[in-house]
Amino acid sequence: MMEKLSAWEEAYRSVESMWGLKPDHILLEYASLIPKGNVLDLGIGEGRNALFFAKMGYEVDGVDISQTAIERCIERAKKTNLKLKAEVRDLKEVDIPQGRYSLIIAAWVLNFFSKRAAEEIIGKIKNGLKKDGFVYIGIFSLADPGYKRAKKSLEVVEENTFYSSQRNSFFHYFTREEVLSLFADFKVIHYAVGTGLDLSHGEPHYHGFIEYMGQKCK
Ligand SMILES: C[S@@+](CC[C@H](N)C(=O)[O-])C[C@H]1O[C@@H](n2cnc3c(N)ncnc32)[C@H](O)[C@@H]1O
């Protein structure tokens, strides 16, 4: 019998490159602030952000649930002679060593968990950062068109969290206040809430987004 592929694995297998090579614009903008050391990319995808930091001399680790994404990421690193450690792992099962990282990236991934699971991962991120380390989180907000669609068609399992049996995934949409309150003990470096047209993959489509970059002060 053929194995049933996860939705992410299927999506990666259907294209040669899903997200391209250009790093997230917020990471480009604030890269000079990040102390040299270790970077962790949660939901590394094909490595557009991780490779950028590897190129700048950071020691980069990353995890993703898709085997194809991880293979692509390792292949890209080999082609450009860069070193990084990328593994297939479910973020829910990842342990982050305490105080290890100068930067932890969770770019456009925390929406694919329940509210509670996303908060647990954020707790691990906070604990895994060095003092003065940075976190970057890109997530979809209640203004995302996906939120409206989910409200119409999916089962609500927690506040602003839906479950799709078709994709076997949770979808949690964040409020403006939620991220700031989860990082209330961090210094805000960048906080932006907006709506924009996404031209990076597939047909042009809108997203409601929150970009947060913060620094651990204590
Ligand atoms: C929207 S993509 C973003 C990829 C990458 N962060 C970027 O910005 O290019 C979301 C990524 O999260 C990964 N992902 C989804 N659920 C995951 C899970 N439970 N554990 C680890 N990775 C997961 C997907 O495979 C996908 O690569």
Side-chain angles (χ1 to χ4, degrees), residues 8 12 19 43-45 48-49 64-66 89-91 107-109 113:
W8 281 110
Y12 279 112
W19 314 110
I44 189 172
R48 65 190 179 109
N49 296 320
D64 201 284
I65 203 151
S66 159
R89 301 279 294 280
D90 187 328
L91 278 195
W108 317 108
V109 63
F113 298 88

Side-chain angles (χ1 to χ4, degrees), residues 8 12 19 39-50 60-71 73-74 84-97 101 104-110 113 121 124-125:
W8 281 110
Y12 279 112
W19 314 110
V39 169
L40 174 64
D41 193 343
L42 299 172
I44 189 172
E46 298 153 318
R48 65 190 179 109
N49 296 320
V60 183
D61 305 324
V63 294
D64 201 284
I65 203 151
S66 159
Q67 175 95 35
T68 298
I70 291 293
E71 282 168 6
C73 181
I74 292 171
L84 58 75
K85 200 169 130 213
E87 289 177 348
V88 177
R89 301 279 294 280
D90 187 328
L91 278 195
K92 284 200 296 272
E93 273 129 43
V94 166
D95 283 321
I96 305 177
Y101 291 99
I104 300 183
I105 304 166
W108 317 108
V109 63
L110 290 177
F113 298 88
I121 296 167
K124 290 188 203 172
I125 291 175

Side-chain angles (χ1 to χ4, degrees), residues 143-205:
D144 195 88
Y147 175 68
K148 251 193 193 158
R149 286 196 298 272
K151 258 175 69 164
K152 269 197 202 144
S153 59
L154 299 179
E155 178 195 352
V156 183
V157 290
E158 263 181 271
E159 192 187 2
N160 301 326
T161 298
F162 306 89
Y163 178 72
S164 160
S165 50
Q166 201 187 351
R167 285 195 54 139
N168 187 23
S169 177
F170 292 101
F171 292 92
H172 180 65
Y173 294 88
F174 288 76
T175 65
R176 289 162 172 264
E177 300 73 25
E178 201 170 350
V179 184
L180 288 181
S181 80
L182 286 165
F183 286 99
D185 47 345
F186 275 44
K187 178 176 165 192
V188 178
I189 302 296
H190 172 97
Y191 184 64
V193 179
T195 306
L197 190 61
D198 184 351
L199 303 173
S200 71
H201 62 110
E203 290 294 311
H205 53 284

